[in-house]
Amino acid sequence: MNSSRLSLSALALALGLCVLPFSANAALPLAVDGQEMPSLAPVLEIVTPAVVNISVSGKKVTKEAIPEQFRFFFGPNLPSEQVQERPFQALGSGVILDAAKGYVITNFHVVDAADEIKVTLKDGRELTAKKIGEDQQSDIALLQVKADKLTAVKLADSDKLRVGDFAIAIGNPFGLGQTVTSGIVSALGRSGLNIENLENFIQTDAAINSGNSGGALINLRGELIGINTAILGPNGGNIGIGFAIPANMVRDLTDQIIKYGEVRRGVLGVMGGELTADLAKAFGYDKQNGAFVSQVMPGSAADKAGIKAGDIIISIDGNVIHSFGELRAKVATKGAGKQVALGLIRDGKEQTVQVTLKQSEESDAPAQSLHPALEGAKLENRKDANISGVEVSDVASRSPAAAIGLRKGDVIIGVNRMKIDNLSQLAKVMKKRSDVLALNIIRGNSSLYLVLR
């Protein structure tokens, strides 16, 4: 028996099929014992049109400090740093979440600093996309395209995933074009990898390579269970350890971006760490899943809900919490103002508390999503109690924001004579998009207006 016949026999046996004799020149059977050969093709025919290829181009600004000895020779007017613009191009993947509105989800790092974003559909159409919003900490970005006959993917409840569930990855590895690989869910709630600030990854052994970022991880029903975001391997190659952002996390973040133009990050107000076996035993808990609370901030959401130091948080809205990192990521992406049910262990007994999350003071927003003229500026809520407003923490050289006169350190306190205290208020006013927007700026000890048209 030749090697090809042995291989087919082994596959058929593994699938519990009857092995039929055949010659090397005979066509392979489409069915065995009246049943179709198992295949992922039917579900992929439905889902793959919802996965797109993304190509971006732009210019990245780099800053290099000029040595002091040059300042000695050329005088004090020599700038302290040299600014350079370097063109770049990159490839990635994306997933259509809403066919009617043209919403496409991808990774933040795929479209970061892009001046032009092109989306290529499976049918070959190439579309120009605009960025609606992004969240660097969780590595997601929401794009929008305009086209007819788009296909969207349905989001699964990723909290119901189990280790061992089948997973299919779809993306654009190495720019080869749409590619499909399969595997299983290898682990859940992965954190502490220092890949992103908020980590609650699905780990999979489905082959994920460079260019798969932003692509889909789906289940056998064709539902999106995650957005592929990172790999663990040498030189960006696959070694069977890939990571995806869970679908529920994606849903919460995109809902906030669509509604508010920014992510309103939720805060519980606790400090703590991972639960070890010794720590769990000391506090009367016989398992090792959970997040240990070492401190509760006075006046925080946790404080008002009655959470205490020494509590072990084991679930959120009925879903098991595996680690403190997972708790932090889920709370942050639920959003400010959301009420969640936290299951906890106190004195060896289980109880549930209702918590209304507060808003993080570390909120920031992509300036270009507020107005094209603000592109290149980084905005964040002012933390100085003396001045409330939106601070410009950075301005890219030669950017639209720099062209209108915006500078690092400026504080936006009003728009068209309307007082602005934070990013949320600024986003609401900017959405009205009147013909002329006058930003009231505090710069040092001066007050001035910058006009956007």
Side-chain angles (χ1 to χ4, degrees), residues 85-301:
E85 288 185 344
R86 296 179 179 175
F88 75 92
Q89 293 182 326
L91 298 172
S93 308
V95 182
I96 300 173
L97 296 183
D98 189 318
K101 296 181 179 177
Y103 288 136
V104 178
I105 190 74
T106 186
N107 286 141
F108 168 85
H109 74 262
V110 170
V111 295
D112 182 27
D115 296 326
E116 185 179 59
I117 304 172
K118 294 290 186 182
V119 168
T120 303
L121 306 180
K122 188 184 179 184
D123 62 16
R125 285 182 289 170
E126 185 178 78
L127 310 171
T128 299
K130 71 173 182 177
K131 193 187 299 181
I132 300 300
E134 60 192 2
D135 182 45
Q136 183 174 4
Q137 290 191 43
S138 56
D139 196 22
I140 67 121
L142 184 65
L143 313 178
Q144 188 173 35
V145 296
K146 291 183 178 180
D148 297 325
K149 298 180 180 179
L150 296 177
T151 299
V153 67
K154 181 181 178 182
L155 271 67
D157 182 354
S158 56
D159 285 326
K160 287 185 167 51
L161 282 176
R162 299 173 301 169
V163 173
D165 285 349
F166 285 107
I168 306 167
I170 312 172
N172 179 27
F174 301 110
L176 293 171
Q178 194 174 88
T179 302
V180 178
T181 56
S182 67
I184 63 169
V185 173
S186 305
L188 296 166
R190 286 290 193 219
S191 61
L193 304 173
N194 296 318
I195 298 171
E196 295 165 9
N197 190 272
L198 296 174
E199 298 183 342
N200 174 32
F201 294 124
I202 301 166
Q203 182 182 325
T204 180
D205 66 345
I208 296 174
N209 289 285
S210 179
N212 271 106
S213 291
L217 189 68
I218 65 171
N219 58 24
L220 294 183
R221 288 187 292 271
E223 299 167 330
L224 185 75
I225 60 175
I227 294 294
N228 301 322
T229 188
I231 54 177
L232 192 64
N235 304 317
N238 170 65
I239 60 170
I241 302 177
F243 301 100
I245 303 167
N248 287 1
M249 196 166 165
V250 171
R251 181 188 289 109
D252 289 337
L253 292 168
T254 53
D255 285 349
Q256 292 174 58
I257 291 173
I258 292 169
K259 187 174 181 179
Y260 306 115
E262 63 171 320
V263 172
R264 295 186 174 181
R265 211 172 303 288
V267 171
L268 183 58
V270 300
M271 295 183 68
E274 306 306 341
L275 185 67
T276 64
D278 291 340
L279 198 57
K281 184 178 179 180
F283 282 83
Y285 186 48
D286 59 359
K287 298 180 182 178
Q288 206 171 324
N289 286 336
F292 180 73
V293 177
S294 61
Q295 184 179 354
V296 177
M297 303 298 121
S300 66

Side-chain angles (χ1 to χ4, degrees), residues 55-79:
S55 60
V56 302
S57 60
K59 293 181 180 178
K60 286 190 175 179
V61 177
T62 58
K63 298 180 180 179
E64 296 179 2
I66 296 177
E68 286 297 323
Q69 55 264 38
F70 284 97
R71 297 177 64 81
F72 175 80
F73 286 108
F74 294 100
N77 293 327
L78 188 71

Side-chain angles (χ1 to χ4, degrees), residues 159 188-191 199-201 274 291 316 319-333:
D159 285 326
L188 296 166
R190 286 290 193 219
S191 61
E199 298 183 342
N200 174 32
F201 294 124
E274 306 306 341
I316 181 169
N319 299 304
V320 174
I321 292 293
H322 299 88
S323 65
F324 193 87
E326 182 181 359
L327 172 68
R328 180 173 174 268
K330 285 190 172 182
V331 165
T333 53

